[in-house]
Amino acid sequence: MNSPGRHFLQIPGPSNTPLPILSALAMPTIDHRGPDFGKLGAEVLSRIRNVFQTEQPVVIYPASGTGAWEAALVNTLSPGDHVLMYQTGWFASLWCKMAAKLGIEAEVMAGDWRSGVEADRIGARLAEDRAHAIKAVCVVHNETSTGVTSDIAALRRAMDAAGHPALLLVDTISSLGSVEYRHDEWGVDVTVGGSQKGLMLPPGLSFNAVSQKARTAAAKARLPRAFWEWEDMIAANARGYFPYTPATNMLQALKVALDMLDSEGLANVFTRHRRAAEATRAAVRHWGFETQCRVEAEHSPVLTAVRLPEGHSADALRAEILARSNMSLGNGLGPLNDQVFRIGHLGDFHDLMVTGTISGVEMGLAARGIPHRTGGVLAAMQSLAGNGSPVLDAAE
Ligand SMILES: *Cc1c(COP(=O)(O)O)cnc(C)c1O
């Protein structure tokens, strides 16, 4: 059956793909060894670095984010290496499982799935490790299962205070291009990114921003790697090319995404995300629900995970909203299955998409008979009105 009107894709990634990017994807595929491609490759490889706030190489893979997770591990580590991984939620635990499958000894530092990385705990564990057995610390910047953003600068300070040489590997798959991030300044060794969230592209590209320290470690690391080899990439990238067929059309679209981010200004993009998150939380508070994140300063600008009162099914609510309003919301992952739903507010959106999303949720709550205080949409509108206008403020 035809569903009239535009689908609201309000999951926390993939995010809505704007028309200029869709148009770029529809352009004819070009010769990936021809002169036009060389120019495109050189341009996107150079300009993507600004999104990571780095001067160092960014490697681009034709893969989902999971591929870039694997690339970060196999380039830097050897079989049996000991790594410390902080479990902020579902995505962090998937990364731990991957490390174990690759033959890495992952020490998991458990979290409560309602707050971010505890930098002091990691610092204390590293200080204890006088033999420097721990080769890397792996964390997720924006935990997409819980809506919690961790303080990477604080983690860097804790690692420095412990005087420990471990590499710092950070997953920014759902924060890149949506939340302030500084690969060089925060001394991150490998930053893992993906195309389908803040960068507004469809799924299909992923990234490793790589420090000199990580490249030095890679020269000695012995986990098998071929497709993911950084140095083959970096050598070919020097002239704007790739060692194998890149995702040509996705790179054409990436150039457009970079144009869009530059034209809005990264700082304005980050403000727009924070504003949408605050408005969404105003609605959630008004309804009388809890967010999964319980630390005020750690609420994610990218998504809000909402806990439903006991005895109500988040999946049934999502199904109702999809059928009624043609809107997709994110499900609860792992142990949060059916208890939580996740509202994405990332990538290409404006105020009406935020209030439209919230009205869809509120109509769904009423239809399902889930007790809540009505008027969440008004609370969100008031939050947005009291919070400036990203468009008008940026134009001043
Ligand atoms: C989406 C996401 C991933 C997984 O990326 P895929 O593209 O699905 O492989 C990993 N980590 C985080 C934090 C994510 O949000």
Side-chain angles (χ1 to χ4, degrees), residues 12 64-67 69 91 140 142-144 171 173-174 196-197:
S64 86
T66 303
W69 261 352
F91 287 99
V140 173
N142 186 73
E143 179 52 73
T144 324
D171 167 348
I173 295 172
S174 64
Q196 74 271 33
K197 303 188 185 181

